[in-house]
Amino acid sequence: MNKLIKINENDNVAIALEPLKKGYTEQGITLLDDIPFGHKVLLKDLNAGETIIKYSNPIGHLSCDVKAGSHIHEHNLKTNLGDKMNYTFSGENEFQTEKTDLTFNGYVRDDGTVGIRNEIWIISTVGCINNTVRTLEKIGQNEFSDGIDGVFGYTHPYGCSQMGEDQENTRKILASLVNHPNAGGVLVVSLGCENTNVNTLKTYIGDIDENRVKFLVTQDCNDELEDGRRLLKELHTYVKKFNRTPVSLERLIIGFKCGGSDAFSGITANALCGRITERLTRIGASAILTEVPEMFGAEHLLMKRAENRETFEKTVRMINDYKTYFENHNQVCYENPSPGNHDGGLTTLEEKSLGCIQKGGQAVVTDVLDYGEKCKKAGLNLLTGSGNDIVSTTNLTASGAHMIIFTTGRGTPLGAPVPTLKISSNSRLAVKKKNWIDFNAGELLNGGDFSVLCDNLLDLIISVASGKKTRNEENGCREISIFKDGVIM
């Protein structure tokens, strides 16, 4: 079995499938250096300034002359990325869907929306009452969990002393969580004097079903825990009435996220997700791709797949506005790969980005969403937001994702309020962290059949949508984090 893999025939580097020693020879290449697992090997002599190609696209340029068989990484490969760019619209892409008989067993809500969990969510409006929310969560789990999928509290440090866009972001995210259909019932817990108080938040929530959403203002109570217990009991009675029923798979909304990527993420886990995205969007389901900084260097490929000029221009604005955000903080927009990414073999941001966008496959980009904006269209949606794991999974949840497919080469126990299905990019991680990983895409490196694994992953997605718990759910890993970029008063 080969120990070096060349992703695309146009590439001038190969990836080590295991740690390789200097002197190892394969495919006519003799290694001049030790090559760590997942790292790059140069396949032909190149001079300083010449481009390194991976995924059939540039990932940077050499800073010195390098011989074939050499290790390619930070010491000799530099990014090609700079600041804002001009982009050209390359034409429309027709988005077509086909009928499907595939279904999942979901919960149809009174307003016609569909959820894949039947939970009670307790949401704090402000950090001051986080402990109250946690206490009510325990009361709910002990007294009101039977016949439903659980009671869960979501806390954060914001909701007061915020200004401008930060305050808007907090309100939008909290309102979107209140409206999420995975929550059969919601208890909103407020202190009472905060900026994001109940009356203000209600204007962001919109139409409110008083059977489904209850409000507790703790400053107005003699005993907030007893009042909270009463409201949870009312919610429990309401939520228990819902039962799973077959729902067309076209109603499913999937969010995609990668965290702790390695050199194999783009050719195993992310590539597999790309095939899933194509299959789901083809039948009219929705997929959401976020992590804008991890599109830098690969954004032109997404723009080529824009459904129309309007979507193209929205993509351009999303990219350039996020670069402006970096500039406003005097930061460059191309120093993204984390220490874990570097250890895993990723050198430049464009290398990481080219692997990251594989999660979108070749699906047509049908819409571009603002931070926390609700997904409304079938097809591939691009969501404005950061790459930070918990911020972006919260963002995806707020945009309506029923579940999140989270690919990783390094591993993480993290979970969002919605089921967060972890896919490992390599088998070592899947074996080591069985308690974190739901699906092993690393089998592709061991001769696994791509189509078979894709079918297996789709089956798992349908099972999760129908009630099968993900590892993060089993482990009780659920949390939220709201994007912040402003003044605290």
Side-chain angles (χ1 to χ4, degrees):
M1 178 179 172
N2 289 340
K3 298 179 181 179
L4 292 171
I5 181 173
K6 184 178 177 182
I7 299 172
N8 187 283
E9 62 180 12
N10 297 321
D11 295 354
N12 53 23
V13 289
I15 312 302
L17 295 177
E18 60 181 71
L20 300 175
K21 292 293 186 182
K22 177 180 178 180
Y24 173 77
T25 299
E26 181 181 306
Q27 304 175 49
I29 299 294
T30 299
L31 301 186
L32 303 181
D33 305 299
D34 290 344
I35 309 297
F37 172 65
H39 284 235
K40 296 176 289 296
V41 178
L42 189 62
L43 298 178
K44 64 178 182 179
D45 295 351
L46 292 177
N47 297 320
E50 290 197 84
T51 298
I52 295 298
I53 304 294
K54 184 180 176 184
Y55 302 108
S56 193
N57 280 277
I59 62 167
H61 63 274
L62 292 176
S63 58
C64 58
D65 296 346
V66 183
K67 296 290 186 182
S70 298
H71 182 204
I72 299 297
H73 204 28
E74 300 155 307
H75 59 289
N76 53 23
L77 177 62
K78 305 300 177 185
T79 182
N80 288 332
L81 294 182
D83 297 321
K84 296 178 187 175
M85 298 175 59
N86 293 317
Y87 304 98
T88 302
F89 180 56
S90 58
E92 296 188 345
N93 295 276
E94 186 177 6
F95 176 62
Q96 295 181 316
T97 61
E98 57 192 41
K99 291 184 178 180
T100 180
D101 295 326
L102 293 174
T103 63
F104 65 93
N105 291 321
Y107 296 97
V108 180
R109 303 302 180 192
D110 290 341
D111 63 358
T113 60
V114 174
I116 68 169
R117 293 292 183 270
N118 197 34
E119 300 169 341
I120 294 174
W121 289 1
I122 308 171
I123 297 175
S124 64
T125 62
V126 66
C128 304
I129 41 80
N130 284 348
N131 283 337
T132 301
V133 168
R134 290 301 178 199
T135 302
L136 288 171
E137 178 186 46
K138 292 177 182 177
I139 291 172
Q141 290 172 349
N142 290 334
E143 300 180 24
F144 306 114
S145 287
D146 64 291
I148 67 173
D149 291 327
V151 180
F152 304 100
Y154 295 106
T155 61
H156 57 90
Y158 304 126
C160 199
S161 303
Q162 292 183 282
M163 302 176 69
E165 190 172 355
D166 267 359
Q167 190 163 250
E168 287 297 299
N169 285 339
T170 296
R171 293 169 178 173
K172 285 195 303 183
I173 294 298
L174 294 181
S176 294
L177 292 176
V178 169
N179 287 325
H180 199 287
N182 279 14
V186 179
L187 176 59
V188 177
V189 182
S190 162
L191 180 61
C193 59
E194 67 273 24
N195 295 124
T196 302
N197 54 65
V198 162
N199 289 333
T200 298
L201 187 60
K202 283 181 177 180
T203 65
Y204 287 78
I205 296 171
D207 294 336
I208 296 172
D209 180 346
E210 294 182 357
N211 292 314
R212 180 182 172 273
V213 183
K214 308 288 185 180
F215 297 91
L216 176 67
V217 181
T218 58
Q219 287 177 340
D220 293 344
C221 301
N222 291 328
D223 186 338
E224 65 274 10
L225 297 182
E226 192 54 41
D227 284 1
R229 176 181 277 105
R230 173 180 54 81
L231 293 173
L232 287 173
K233 183 177 181 179
E234 292 175 9
L235 287 171
H236 183 235
T237 299
Y238 173 74
V239 173
K240 280 201 303 183
K241 78 172 189 175
F242 292 99
N243 296 298
R244 289 192 180 274
T245 186
V247 178
S248 174
L249 200 59
E250 66 183 323
R251 301 291 302 276
L252 198 62
I253 303 174
I254 301 285
F256 289 94
K257 168 77 182 96
C258 52
S261 301
D262 68 0
F264 301 114
S265 294
I267 57 177
T268 60
N270 290 353
L272 203 57
C273 286
R275 188 72 63 87
I276 291 294
T277 297
E278 293 168 4
R279 291 180 65 170
L280 288 174
T281 57
R282 193 179 302 127
I283 62 172
S286 301
I288 310 175
L289 196 64
T290 189
E291 305 175 278
V292 175
E294 294 174 25
M295 298 176 190
F296 295 166
E299 68 269 36
H300 59 288
L301 300 176
L302 293 170
M303 292 173 185
K304 285 181 180 178
R305 305 208 306 274
E307 182 179 18
N308 48 44
R309 180 176 287 277
E310 179 186 6
T311 305
F312 164 78
E313 290 175 351
K314 288 170 73 173
T315 307
V316 172
R317 280 197 302 274
M318 177 187 70
I319 295 294
N320 284 335
D321 285 353
Y322 221 90
K323 288 186 175 181
T324 298
Y325 160 64
F326 276 65
E327 292 170 0
N328 289 343
H329 289 273
N330 299 312
Q331 299 295 320
V332 295
C333 61
Y334 44 79
E335 292 294 344
N336 179 267
S338 67
N341 294 152
H342 283 289
D343 290 345
L346 298 177
T347 310
T348 64
L349 179 54
E350 51 263 62
E351 180 181 9
K352 183 178 182 181
S353 295
L354 287 164
C356 181
I357 69 161
Q358 299 298 317
K359 298 192 297 295
Q362 295 301 311
V364 174
V365 177
T366 55
D367 204 3
V368 179
L369 308 172
D370 291 332
Y371 175 69
E373 182 181 357
K374 185 173 176 58
C375 176
K376 302 174 289 292
K377 292 185 178 181
L380 179 59
N381 293 255
L382 306 182
L383 173 61
T384 302
S386 71
N388 176 273
D389 288 354
I390 188 58
V391 172
S392 58
T393 53
T394 304
N395 190 14
L396 287 165
T397 302
S399 287
H402 291 112
M403 75 172 76
I404 294 168
I405 312 299
F406 192 117
T407 65
T408 180
R410 310 288 295 182
T412 174
L414 178 146
V418 297
T420 309
L421 197 156
K422 303 288 174 48
I423 305 180
S424 65
S425 63
N426 62 81
S427 297
R428 292 184 179 190
L429 174 61
V431 171
K432 181 180 181 181
K433 302 302 295 184
K434 292 179 181 179
N435 59 324
W436 290 357
I437 301 301
D438 298 278
F439 190 90
N440 178 24
E443 292 180 14
L444 290 170
L445 300 175
N446 305 322
D449 183 272
F450 204 100
S451 295
V452 171
L453 282 173
C454 185
D455 288 342
N456 292 343
L457 179 55
L458 183 59
D459 288 344
L460 178 57
I461 289 170
I462 293 173
S463 294
V464 170
S466 300
K468 178 181 174 63
K469 288 189 176 182
T470 55
R471 296 296 191 202
N472 82 284
E473 292 179 285
E474 293 173 345
N475 296 332
C477 294
R478 299 164 173 261
E479 53 193 312
I480 64 171
S481 183
I482 301 169
F483 181 77
K484 185 191 177 304
D485 179 36
V487 173
I488 291 286
M489 291 190 292

